[in-house]
Amino acid sequence: MPRGISVVIATKGRVKLLDELLESLDEARSRFPLPSEVILVDDSSPDDVREIEDMCERHDARRIAFGPSVAEKRNVGVRNSRYEVALLLDSDCLATPELLNEHYRCYEDPSVGAVAGLLEFVGPDTWFWKAVANSQFVVCFDFPRWMETVPWTPTANCSVRRDVFEALGGFDRGFPDKPGGEDVDLGLRITQGGHVMTCNPKALVYHQKKTWIPVKAMIKRLWHYGSADLFLMERHPDLLYPCYPRRTLLVLAVVALCVVFAALACPLALAAVPIVLLVDLALCAAAMQSYEKRRVSFLQQVVIQLLILDNELGFLCRCLERRRFDFMGQQLIYFDGQAFGIVDRGSLLTLAHLGSAVLLAVLLLATTVLA
């Protein structure tokens, strides 16, 4: 297989952002001493296709028409690539000048099967973004800052040996087409197959915040991430770890208890539902605010807890849909220290839930007295 790098980008629309990415790759490719190519796997609208094809001519890129699945777009791109290393980038990223060199030099070690590059978000901050940036959902992009190797990495900035990718069959098409899951699964299969996924913080790309900032888009993204966890659990049962009761199940238990109490004793019991849930949310936010000591306001911590609930609800709904009730008390553990963090946080959250349970008991008792 010829030496060099094939950059594979799954695209749809985002014409301006894509043009900026290709321009940044021109600089990175000019500094790379070996052959390189850029492959766009795209299913944009006809108007956008004309612009993208013009871009390809200006930036020495190749467009392959295919869609809509992002995972299969990447499979198609790698299958049609020429060189021994495939670099996967998102279309809303910007390459730094040494990106190709930093990825490629890691493959001097024959044990390395893939490389996790660093991703930094850039662009104007918003109040909502500051909450997102301090949540658990962006930690994976920072892996290369503090880890030498990882079991998986997001594919926004990830390279892989083509022969390793092809031997594993690429991304698993059994995952949903919406975001989440298949990149984690591919990384796990690479590392479980005996290959090292090394981290290189100098292999840096910048990611536009504006594609992550819209609240509606974030809610949908995290719902799908939660949904994808079920598919990961089915494929990697060796990584499951018992967890304390999920918050979504506790919420459903509160609602169910109040409904039953209202039907059997006093209709006023239904009023306890929003009160208890709001207090529980506030207690959880306060507990995590004190534990994590992050520079976010209490209200932003409340938003983080709501995003976690959204993510868990996506997981719970997928469990119910596929009748996998056995997974509801399980969690995926990828790192040795991850379980300790879950236990520490879980202890504080359990205290918060106990406080909410006491409040629920008091409110139900009060409704009985009023009745």
Side-chain angles (χ1 to χ4, degrees):
M1 199 172 294
R3 299 180 67 202
I5 287 186
S6 300
V7 182
V8 176
I9 305 165
T11 72
K12 182 173 183 177
R14 292 180 174 176
V15 173
K16 185 175 184 302
L17 292 176
L18 182 60
D19 195 26
E20 293 172 354
L21 170 57
L22 292 177
E23 187 173 342
S24 69
L25 281 170
D26 287 345
E27 173 69 13
R29 294 174 71 187
S30 72
R31 298 189 181 206
F32 185 59
L34 296 173
S36 66
E37 64 177 345
V38 176
I39 300 172
L40 310 179
V41 188
D42 174 61
D43 63 332
S44 297
S45 67
D47 289 341
D48 287 341
V49 166
R50 283 189 286 272
E51 290 191 60
I52 290 171
E53 287 177 340
D54 288 342
M55 282 182 214
C56 288
E57 289 187 17
R58 294 198 311 272
H59 298 288
D60 183 30
R62 178 160 50 111
R63 176 181 178 270
I64 298 174
F66 188 87
S69 164
V70 175
E72 190 59 20
K73 281 180 178 180
R74 290 177 175 137
N75 285 340
V76 168
V78 175
R79 282 198 297 266
N80 284 274
S81 64
R82 299 188 183 104
Y83 301 116
E84 63 178 333
V85 173
L87 171 58
L88 306 173
L89 298 178
D90 279 358
S91 60
D92 49 357
C93 289
L94 292 172
T96 52
E98 294 299 320
L99 179 67
L100 271 61
N101 284 322
E102 289 296 335
H103 269 281
Y104 195 81
R105 72 175 179 83
C106 296
Y107 292 99
E108 294 174 3
D109 182 346
S111 69
V112 171
V115 177
L118 180 64
L119 184 147
E120 290 184 1
F121 287 94
V122 294
D125 277 343
T126 65
W127 186 91
F128 178 67
W129 170 255
K130 289 177 182 176
V132 173
N134 283 275
S135 73
Q136 66 194 48
F137 302 108
V138 295
V139 171
C140 57
F141 299 111
D142 268 346
F143 283 166
R145 286 191 196 280
W146 43 277
M147 300 181 74
E148 293 184 0
T149 62
V150 285
W152 66 273
T153 186
T155 44
N157 178 19
C158 167
S159 64
V160 60
R161 289 190 195 271
R162 230 185 83 190
D163 56 355
V164 171
F165 186 91
E166 291 174 349
L168 294 171
F171 292 100
D172 185 343
R173 290 297 294 112
F175 280 82
D177 286 340
K178 295 297 182 181
E182 74 279 348
D183 52 352
V184 180
D185 172 68
L186 178 65
L188 293 173
R189 287 189 285 124
I190 289 172
T191 53
Q192 290 169 355
H195 306 283
V196 174
M197 180 173 282
T198 193
C199 293
N200 185 355
K202 294 181 180 179
L204 171 67
V205 302
Y206 297 111
H207 192 294
Q208 302 287 348
K209 290 178 185 174
K210 60 187 173 183
T211 58
W212 270 58
I213 281 176
V215 176
K216 184 178 179 181
M218 181 59 68
I219 290 171
K220 289 177 65 176
R221 178 182 289 112
L222 296 185
W223 175 284
H224 289 307
Y225 285 173
S227 174
D229 275 351
L230 176 67
F231 293 88
L232 286 166
M233 288 178 169
E234 289 179 337
R235 287 160 174 76
H236 302 280
D238 54 310
L239 299 178
L240 295 184
Y241 182 89
C243 67
Y244 63 91
R246 289 182 178 269
R247 215 174 308 174
T248 43
L249 293 178
L250 295 175
V251 168
L252 292 176
V254 168
V255 174
L257 181 60
C258 290
V259 168
V260 171
F261 202 89
L264 297 178
C266 177
L268 282 175
L270 291 176
V273 174
I275 297 172
V276 172
L277 296 184
L278 285 172
V279 169
D280 187 71
L281 182 65
L283 290 174
C284 289
M288 290 301 97
Q289 187 83 344
S290 64
Y291 175 77
E292 295 174 352
K293 297 180 175 60
R294 290 173 173 168
R295 284 182 277 183
V296 294
S297 68
F298 173 73
L299 287 178
Q300 286 169 327
Q301 186 62 249
V302 169
V303 169
I304 291 172
Q305 299 308 309
L306 285 171
L307 292 176
I308 292 171
L309 278 173
D310 169 49
N311 177 257
E312 286 200 357
L313 193 56
F315 169 74
L316 181 64
C317 288
R318 185 67 78 172
C319 285
L320 294 173
E321 176 190 314
R322 293 173 68 90
R323 301 180 185 276
R324 291 309 305 259
F325 309 113
D326 52 322
F327 285 155
M328 289 182 178
Q330 303 285 329
Q331 186 155 341
L332 287 159
I333 299 296
Y334 303 111
F335 310 103
D336 292 340
Q338 186 182 351
F340 295 107
I342 290 172
V343 170
D344 289 344
R345 289 178 176 84
S347 300
L348 288 173
L349 291 173
T350 298
L351 290 175
H353 298 323
L354 285 173
S356 304
V358 170
L359 174 64
L360 177 61
V362 169
L363 289 175
L364 293 180
L365 180 61
T367 58
T368 304
V369 171
L370 290 174

